[in-house]
């Protein structure tokens, strides 16, 4: 076997290991657990096949309540994500 491929392989291995040893071990950034309410899919009321005026009124009120609940769950997920990003940024500042 020619010495050049062996030498190239050795040089590549040494370069990789020397770079890997210079990395500083940083503490893992804290992760927050996403609330289960934020993970649930939103449900919307569906009208029956032949809706009456009462079905429409009930459906209107039910959908309104479900949209508010869905928006609250979405806001909870966004707040959790924002808080996690703030903790990550704080951890980055401490490392510097």
């Amino acid at each position: 076997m020619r010495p050049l491929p062996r030498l190239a392989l050795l040089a590549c291995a040494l370069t990789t290991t020397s770079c890997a040893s210079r990395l500083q071990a940083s503490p893992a950034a804290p992760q927050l657990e996403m609330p289960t309410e934020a993970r649930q899919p939103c449900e919307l009321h569906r009208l029956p096949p032949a809706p009456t005026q009462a079905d429409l009124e009930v459906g209107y009120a039910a959908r309104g309540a479900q949209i508010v609940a869905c928006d609250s769950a979405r806001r909870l997920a966004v707040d959790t994500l924002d808080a996690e990003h703030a903790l990550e940024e704080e951890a980055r500042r401490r490392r510097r």
Side-chain angles (χ1 to χ4, degrees):
M1 188 171 186
R2 294 182 189 162
L4 188 56
R6 285 188 199 168
L7 188 59
L9 184 61
L10 180 61
C12 183
L14 288 175
T15 304
T16 303
T17 57
S18 67
C19 289
S21 64
R22 284 192 214 148
L23 293 176
Q24 296 177 352
S26 60
Q31 290 187 346
L32 300 178
E33 187 172 328
M34 186 67 66
T36 56
E37 294 84 5
R39 292 188 178 273
Q40 299 299 321
C42 295
E43 294 180 24
L44 289 179
H45 176 77
R46 296 186 189 260
L47 294 172
T52 63
Q53 183 65 33
D55 291 332
L56 293 173
E57 291 175 5
V58 167
Y60 183 76
R63 274 202 172 200
Q66 289 171 330
I67 289 171
V68 168
C70 186
D71 190 54
S72 297
R74 184 199 57 79
R75 170 65 21 210
L76 184 60
V78 169
D79 289 345
T80 302
L81 184 64
D82 288 344
E84 186 172 315
H85 285 307
L87 287 172
E88 289 171 350
E89 185 62 32
E90 184 179 327
R92 262 188 240 128
R93 279 193 216 120
R94 286 184 192 167
R95 284 191 296 243
R96 292 179 189 169

